[in-house]
Amino acid sequence: MLKLLQQAFLRLSPRYQLKNPVMFVTYIASVLTTLIAIYEYTHPPKGPVHFSIHIALWLWFTVLFANFSESVAEKRGKAQAENLRKSRRDILAKLLVNQNSKEYLLRSSTELHAGDIVLIEAGDIVPGDGQVLKGVASIDESAITGESAPVIREAGGDRDAVTAGTIVLSDWLIVRVTSNPGETFLDRMIAMVEGAKRKKTPNEIALSILLAGMTLVFLIVAMTLLPFSIFSAMNLHQGEFISLTVLIALLICLIPTTIGGLLSAIGIAGMDRLIQSNVIAQSGRAVEAAGDVTVLLLDKTGTITLGNRQAAAFYPAKGVSITALAEAAELSSISDNTPEGKSIVALAREKYQIGPTDIVALAATFIPFTAQTRMSGIQLENRQILKGATDAISKHVAKQNVVIDDTIVSKIEEIAKLGSTPLLVCDNDKIMGVIQLKDIIKTGIKERLAELRSMGIKSIMMTGDNPLTAATIATEAGVDDFIAEADPEEKLRLIRSYQESGQLVAMMGDGTNDAPALAQTDVAVAMNSGTQAAKEAANMIDLDSDPTKLIEIVKIGKQLLMTRGALTTFSIANDVAKYFAILPAAFSTLVPGLGILNIMKLTTPHSAILSAVIFNALIIILLIPLALKGVSYHAMNANKLLRNNLFKFGLGGVIAPFIGIKIIDLIISRLMIL
């Protein structure tokens, strides 16, 4: 708390206050009132001696409270940045001289540059962001993601990116460094978390301009009141002219100091809520855009489904027993280390009690899967057992003039209609049957997509599957639309067509093929486990690599926009009560008829003005928790949501000052400080 107060005082410099026009005017007003108080202390006026001193103190409190709100908002980010900074250390990296022989020289990680090739072995800390060229290893990324479970990183595919500061637990990797010193993901993450590079978003800038305009209008009004009151007092003999202290108090109470003092804190807190969800935003613009998203593009694999197809059933051919098919399927998959292959082995063993087979005793040769053959299996002494795509196996057995019977053909079509993938199994030239691989829909995804729909967001599933499979998965998951057989060009065309119609598009991706689409979308979230290309194209990075995180990001974006709008409404509505407090008090001698506006029955003109100034300062500190936590968001129609917030914060903003100012006036009159 002492550090936060210290920061609040350190920010009382004109250069810092100039960043916020509303608070800069309040700052100048505090300085002027302080000078007036000093003068009146040496030249006592006719009225209350300490009035200007009290006004000056509470104006300084107003500025301090605004600084304090920003310091509190930054505190959590700085604490998290400190933890991340501990993960960043200067280590010795093994800079390869020759990749083939693994000869290396020891170099400080601060001397590595993009393009350098390094060897990272078990127990080593990854010296810089990079792309795996060779090897496969288990890596502890808990320092970055907070997740204790290790992850696998390997060359090729979409999991070939490593992050500086993580630790290799087993095996080895040869990595090409992709970042220069001070530009690693960890360095950028620390800067973002600290808010050191936080720039105002377009909405925030627009609101700042509006608040500055309102401040200028009230400043001009206040400036014209002084000569008007002097003219009335001297030439028309209508009471005493308004003092400069009263005019300053009137100005500060009428300009939107509440939202002006909390505006920066709201933006910082919004970014912080995103960070607490383990998402790093490259800019606040992306967070705000998330709140306005109308179209959400989702990959099928890993987002809507679990990511790996699982063996669901075996369907034997005519004249083949289910046990014989299960045995052949198990043998064909025994060397297949893919999740699909492992699930086939598991299904055969658990449901049909096949095996486990003694691989050494078989003395077999394993046939690996290739993109050309699209088959894999095992070669025994006089048996070749294969499994693979239906057309690939059909062509293989067709060489022996074997024709697949109609029962198997109809079963293949039936499996495809269900949205599953059929695999044929053959023993030499004999078709044994079909394996059904099924995409497993994630638990709760249908409910989450329904929640998006209630927010007015259209969900579109993108997949490379055929239209029949895509339609089945889309129906089961509950997406609004789908694009089948989608390639990178098709994704780009889809995104651009929606953007041209004025809609904001969000997308999450992890592969190099997703990079063009991520670069085009308004809200692009890359998985931390994804490729370097995807991370560079995105404007957000999800450290948890959770494909459904995009839904949470949308909620945070909407909450940020709602919080800013709600507190702006509350701040402007506050002025109504202040009119009834200050105007009758300020013009009590010039225009006695304005006394009818003193509906709060405030004790004296000076207590009324001081009560309004005190409330104006205290309301900032009271609203800090709301600015940090954010207005609660519930999925509902946008118009209904707007009406609810206008009613709650608009009406609340009108009523709260009447109650607060009256209570403060009663306390002041009891204490008799004037």
Side-chain angles (χ1 to χ4, degrees):
M1 181 63 73
L2 289 175
K3 285 186 177 180
L4 294 178
L5 289 172
Q6 184 181 7
Q7 286 180 358
F9 276 99
L10 289 174
R11 289 173 173 175
L12 288 176
S13 67
R15 181 177 297 179
Y16 187 86
Q17 295 300 318
L18 192 57
K19 297 177 183 177
N20 188 329
V22 177
M23 298 318 299
F24 180 69
V25 170
T26 309
Y27 176 82
I28 296 299
S30 304
V31 173
L32 288 175
T33 313
T34 302
L35 295 175
I36 293 169
I38 293 171
Y39 176 81
E40 288 184 355
Y41 186 78
T42 56
H43 302 79
K46 293 180 181 179
V49 178
H50 301 298
F51 177 70
S52 293
I53 296 175
H54 293 144
I55 294 293
L57 283 172
W58 282 103
L59 290 183
W60 282 116
F61 282 142
T62 304
V63 180
L64 282 171
F65 290 161
N67 292 346
F68 182 76
S69 71
E70 192 170 344
S71 299
V72 172
E74 290 176 351
K75 178 186 176 183
R76 287 178 288 183
K78 288 183 181 294
Q80 190 166 347
E82 189 58 36
N83 290 332
L84 291 171
R85 197 173 276 108
K86 291 176 183 177
S87 305
R88 184 179 61 185
R89 61 192 85 172
D90 184 13
I91 59 175
L92 289 177
K94 299 170 182 175
L95 181 64
L96 284 178
V97 176
N98 187 325
Q99 285 189 50
N100 297 322
S101 65
K102 292 188 181 178
E103 295 179 26
Y104 62 80
L105 300 172
L106 292 177
R107 288 284 185 273
S108 169
S109 58
T110 58
E111 298 175 6
L112 295 178
H113 291 81
D116 289 342
I117 310 295
V118 296
L119 171 66
I120 312 171
E121 298 177 297
D124 292 347
I125 299 172
V126 178
D129 294 349
Q131 184 176 16
V132 179
L133 300 179
K134 290 182 181 179
V136 56
S138 174
I139 295 184
D140 176 10
E141 294 188 342
S142 58
I144 305 297
T145 66
E147 291 292 332
S148 57
V151 297
I152 301 299
R153 293 290 178 263
E154 58 187 330
D158 291 340
R159 297 184 181 272
D160 64 348
V162 292
T163 307
T166 56
I167 302 171
V168 174
L169 300 178
S170 67
D171 303 293
W172 56 271
L173 297 171
I174 291 179
V175 173
R176 181 177 65 241
V177 178
T178 56
S179 60
N180 291 313
E183 298 176 359
T184 66
F185 172 68
L186 189 58
D187 290 313
R188 297 198 310 272
M189 184 173 170
I190 290 170
M192 287 295 171
V193 170
E194 282 185 319
K197 294 184 178 180
R198 192 187 90 86
K199 296 180 180 179
K200 286 187 176 182
T201 62
N203 283 343
E204 199 172 347
I205 293 171
L207 183 56
S208 296
I209 293 171
L210 173 64
L211 298 180
M214 293 177 66
T215 301
L216 181 61
V217 169
F218 283 120
L219 181 61
I220 294 170
V221 170
M223 289 173 62
T224 58
L225 287 177
L226 183 60
F228 169 75
S229 66
I230 293 174
F231 175 81
S232 298
M234 295 183 65
N235 297 313
L236 303 178
H237 306 290
Q238 292 182 2
E240 299 179 0
F241 62 83
I242 303 173
S243 70
L244 193 56
T245 300
V246 171
L247 280 176
I248 290 173
L250 175 65
L251 171 65
I252 299 306
C253 286
L254 296 184
I255 64 176
T257 50
T258 305
I259 184 61
L262 296 171
L263 187 58
S264 184
I266 293 169
I268 295 171
M271 296 282 285
D272 183 63
R273 284 194 294 277
L274 203 65
I275 291 163
Q276 288 176 16
S277 297
N278 260 8
V279 177
I280 301 299
Q282 309 285 16
S283 69
R285 180 192 293 265
V287 185
E288 286 192 355
D292 289 329
V293 163
T294 53
V295 177
L296 184 59
L297 302 181
L298 300 166
D299 274 333
K300 184 205 76 174
T301 305
T303 303
I304 292 171
T305 65
L306 288 176
N308 299 308
R309 296 169 299 176
Q310 303 289 308
F314 297 140
Y315 298 99
K318 190 175 181 179
V320 178
S321 69
I322 187 70
T323 305
L325 171 58
E327 180 186 10
E330 192 258 0
L331 284 170
S332 69
S333 305
I334 203 166
S335 65
D336 186 351
N337 289 320
T338 65
E340 291 88 348
K342 290 177 180 178
S343 73
I344 293 170
V345 172
L347 181 63
R349 291 178 179 178
E350 292 171 8
K351 190 171 181 179
Y352 301 101
Q353 289 74 51
I354 304 297
T357 304
D358 187 346
I359 301 177
V360 177
L362 285 175
T365 302
F366 299 112
I367 303 170
F369 176 88
T370 67
Q372 288 75 31
T373 64
R374 293 188 297 146
M375 298 182 295
S376 65
I378 189 170
Q379 177 68 57
L380 302 175
E381 185 176 352
N382 55 4
R383 291 175 68 189
Q384 185 185 61
I385 305 173
L386 297 171
K387 74 170 190 305
T390 56
D391 59 337
I393 296 292
S394 297
K395 289 178 182 177
H396 174 73
V397 298
K399 295 175 183 177
Q400 305 298 324
N401 298 317
V402 175
V403 179
I404 300 175
D405 64 69
D406 294 340
T407 305
I408 291 296
V409 172
S410 62
K411 181 55 68 174
I412 290 171
E413 292 175 353
E414 182 184 332
I415 290 172
K417 287 178 181 178
L418 291 172
S420 300
T421 302
L423 292 180
L424 276 177
V425 180
C426 68
D427 188 342
N428 288 331
D429 57 355
K430 181 181 180 181
I431 296 294
M432 300 296 291
V434 185
I435 302 171
Q436 179 187 3
L437 294 181
K438 185 178 180 182
D439 283 303
I440 308 300
I441 303 293
K442 285 191 171 183
T443 304
I445 191 69
K446 192 166 189 175
E447 290 74 17
R448 300 201 77 178
L449 291 173
E451 190 177 355
L452 278 173
R453 197 174 299 111
S454 66
M455 296 180 196
I457 299 172
K458 180 180 181 180
S459 58
I460 300 175
M461 182 186 78
M462 298 181 298
T463 177
D465 289 340
N466 62 71
L468 193 60
T469 301
T472 303
I473 296 294
T475 302
E476 190 176 345
V479 294
D480 298 315
D481 200 355
F482 68 89
I483 303 295
E485 299 175 345
D487 55 21
E489 290 76 16
E490 179 66 25
K491 292 178 183 178
L492 269 177
R493 283 194 295 271
L494 179 67
I495 293 166
R496 286 169 180 161
S497 67
Y498 276 114
Q499 289 175 330
E500 286 169 4
S501 65
Q503 301 194 65
L504 264 66
V505 182
M507 176 186 170
M508 176 173 265
D510 60 355
T512 301
N513 64 327
D514 291 326
L518 286 170
Q520 181 66 38
T521 53
D522 303 286
V523 179
V525 185
M527 296 189 197
N528 191 43
S529 61
T531 60
Q532 194 68 27
K535 290 181 184 179
E536 290 175 359
N539 49 31
M540 290 187 192
I541 298 175
D542 174 25
L543 301 181
D544 295 332
S545 299
D546 176 5
T548 63
K549 186 70 71 66
L550 202 51
I551 298 171
E552 194 170 341
I553 291 170
V554 169
K555 284 186 177 180
I556 292 172
K558 286 185 176 294
Q559 188 183 37
L560 172 62
L561 295 174
M562 280 176 52
T563 302
R564 187 180 294 147
L567 291 184
T568 301
T569 302
F570 185 89
S571 178
I572 294 172
N574 263 216
D575 288 347
V576 175
K578 295 169 191 173
Y579 292 142
F580 288 94
I582 292 188
L583 289 178
F587 294 93
S588 58
T589 58
L590 279 174
V591 189
L594 285 178
I596 196 173
L597 296 179
N598 185 17
I599 60 176
M600 288 180 278
K601 305 299 180 186
L602 302 177
T603 311
T604 66
H606 288 97
S607 73
I609 294 169
L610 184 55
S611 297
V613 171
I614 293 173
F615 176 85
N616 199 60
L618 293 178
I619 197 63
I620 294 177
I621 208 79
L622 292 174
L623 288 174
I624 288 177
L626 182 60
L628 298 181
K629 184 180 179 181
V631 174
S632 59
Y633 174 75
H634 302 287
M636 63 175 68
N637 180 272
N639 292 330
K640 185 177 179 182
L641 197 61
L642 179 62
R643 286 197 303 270
N644 287 352
N645 283 332
L646 284 176
F647 178 78
K648 185 188 300 183
F649 293 97
L651 188 61
V654 172
I655 295 173
F658 279 101
I659 299 171
I661 291 171
K662 180 61 180 178
I663 291 172
I664 294 169
D665 179 71
L666 290 173
I667 295 172
I668 290 174
S669 60
R670 289 285 181 89
L671 294 175
M672 301 179 67
I673 61 173
L674 293 177

